[in-house]
Amino acid sequence: MAKIKILDKNVANQIAAGEVVERPASVIKELVENSLDAGATVIDVEIIQGGIEYLRVTDNGQGMSAEDALLAIERHATSKINLAEDLAKIHTLGFRGEALPSIASVSEFKLLTRTKEDELAIIVQVAGGSVKELEKTGANLGTTVFVENLFYNLPARRKFLKTVSTEARYINEVITKLALSRPDVKFTLKNNERLVLKTPGSGQLQDCIQALYGSEVAEALLTVNLQAAGIVVTGFVSRPSFTKSSRILQLAFVNKRSITSKLVYRAIDAAYQSKIARGTHPFALLNITIDTEQVDVNVHPQKQEVK
Ligand code: ADP
Ligand code: MG
């Protein structure tokens, strides 16, 4: 008898969740990316107890049919790529078809969604990785995903979460970056019933920076606009008079995807070298646009780095 077995679906999903779903903030990142990929212009996020007990992402995107809603929670099920060649030119934030099944395998998960063709929305509820309930109901166009009791079935994972306020801060950081990547989309974040973040969705990056960081930052900005060797870099940097003691206000986006990049940090350091004190860092938000075929986005489990 063979010693090797193909793993049960639920086990495979939990293993994938180990890479993708580290904490509530990673769940929110995946869900908001899905909302953006679905063409949403309004995205509302709500969390309770740092997102560990409860989190919700509501969008006004294209929604899913009942059939698609059930497929969406299957592993390797995606509407975003089809052929291997598509991996070389990804235009969406997601592409692996792993987020929803991974999240659903480690939480109490509920999806509520309606397309404009459907009169009624569908509710798909998943517990312990298997579909528990499926019903129809009235709802707005778009999708809401509810995630409760994250890691309820993985106590070791749950134990490694930080305090409620730290998890809430990570969520705030994730949404801040996503909001800055799309000034054309209106974002809100409610933490324990209190509105803590709101962007206007005006399409103007400066309005978004002002809403998230306030006037002190917004008034210190200089415009960046460069084009060379097929690469376009736009955004804002602060005057040398405005600095911080950490890199918290240095953000880079490649084709609207937030990334961390030592290369970009080094470039910012080099540009400011003789102008600011050692150990201080300017504000910098750089939108880098490169031909999608020149970028490999499939190099990091949480897609935080690109090549
Ligand atoms: P991926 O984003 O890599 O395709 P996911 O597991 O995150 O994989 O989502 C699976 C599929 O479910 C997506 O390809 C998309 O078709 C659908 N989907 C997920 N979230 C939404 C949403 N908010 N609105 C519309 N469709 C969605
Ligand atoms: Mg996704």
Side-chain angles (χ1 to χ4, degrees), residues 30-40 57-64 68-69 71-81 92-103 111-113 142-145 303:
E30 293 293 336
L31 296 180
V32 172
E33 287 187 354
N34 281 343
S35 298
L36 291 171
D37 284 342
V57 175
T58 298
D59 70 51
N60 67 345
Q62 65 189 16
M64 283 174 269
D68 279 342
L71 280 171
I73 50 173
E74 292 293 328
R75 186 129 187 262
H76 305 309
T78 180
S79 56
K80 299 170 194 175
I81 60 169
T92 49
L93 294 166
F95 53 88
R96 295 195 185 119
E98 291 201 312
L100 292 187
S102 300
I103 297 163
L111 179 78
L112 166 71
T113 187
T143 302
T144 296
V145 176
K303 298 168 292 183

